[in-house]
Amino acid sequence: MAEIPVRAKLAQEPMGLMGIVRTARRNLLEIIPDLATRQPMVSGRMIRRWHMVMDPAALQRVLLERPSRYPKAEAVKNVLGACRIWPWICSDFLSFSTRYGSIGQ
């Protein structure tokens, strides 16, 4: 039987592209940097520069208040768009959608 709650060994140091691919095939959650549990924002560079926003106030600003100032990668737009089609993917989709309108644009 699976252990509850589910746990993942988060990345302790930067991984190269092949390390990310290997790790993601095993468990996608393990590519999340452990640093993201302690900092409001983590940035890095792989093929392109990326940012992981963890702070609730910053997430609201990026996704809802000023989305045009924070362009999103196609992959992120696809995930957010999928929330409109399959809302059970995103736990708070319906409340966000009702309060703030579309967040995937």
Side-chain angles (χ1 to χ4, degrees), residues 10-15 20 27-46 48-63 70-73 76:
L10 302 180
Q12 300 297 315
E13 56 190 51
M15 296 183 230
I20 288 174
N27 184 342
L28 187 60
L29 295 175
E30 290 182 10
I31 68 170
I32 297 172
D34 183 60
L35 191 58
T37 64
R38 297 185 304 279
Q39 285 188 199
M41 185 167 157
V42 178
S43 298
R45 184 171 190 88
M46 185 52 60
R48 297 181 67 168
R49 189 127 177 89
W50 57 267
H51 308 283
M52 181 180 290
V53 181
M54 304 300 284
D55 178 61
L59 280 169
Q60 182 171 345
R61 188 170 49 252
V62 168
L63 292 175
Y70 302 96
K72 292 158 195 65
V76 173

Side-chain angles (χ1 to χ4, degrees):
M1 179 167 247
E3 185 178 333
I4 298 190
V6 176
R7 298 177 191 175
K9 182 182 174 197
L10 302 180
Q12 300 297 315
E13 56 190 51
M15 296 183 230
L17 182 58
M18 291 310 298
I20 288 174
V21 170
R22 277 192 303 274
T23 303
R25 289 182 73 190
R26 182 179 62 244
N27 184 342
L28 187 60
L29 295 175
E30 290 182 10
I31 68 170
I32 297 172
D34 183 60
L35 191 58
T37 64
R38 297 185 304 279
Q39 285 188 199
M41 185 167 157
V42 178
S43 298
R45 184 171 190 88
M46 185 52 60
I47 295 171
R48 297 181 67 168
R49 189 127 177 89
W50 57 267
H51 308 283
M52 181 180 290
V53 181
M54 304 300 284
D55 178 61
L59 280 169
Q60 182 171 345
R61 188 170 49 252
V62 168
L63 292 175
L64 305 171
E65 293 171 4
R66 298 184 183 169
S68 62
R69 292 189 66 195
Y70 302 96
K72 292 158 195 65
E74 281 303 311
V76 173
K77 289 180 186 179
N78 291 339
V79 169
L80 293 174
C83 290
R84 277 190 239 123
I85 298 167
W86 302 293
W88 57 89
I89 291 174
C90 301
S91 62
D92 285 333
F93 170 78
L94 293 175
S95 62
F96 270 97
S97 179
T98 304
R99 278 185 277 162
Y100 302 106
S102 175
I103 61 173
Q105 312 237 345

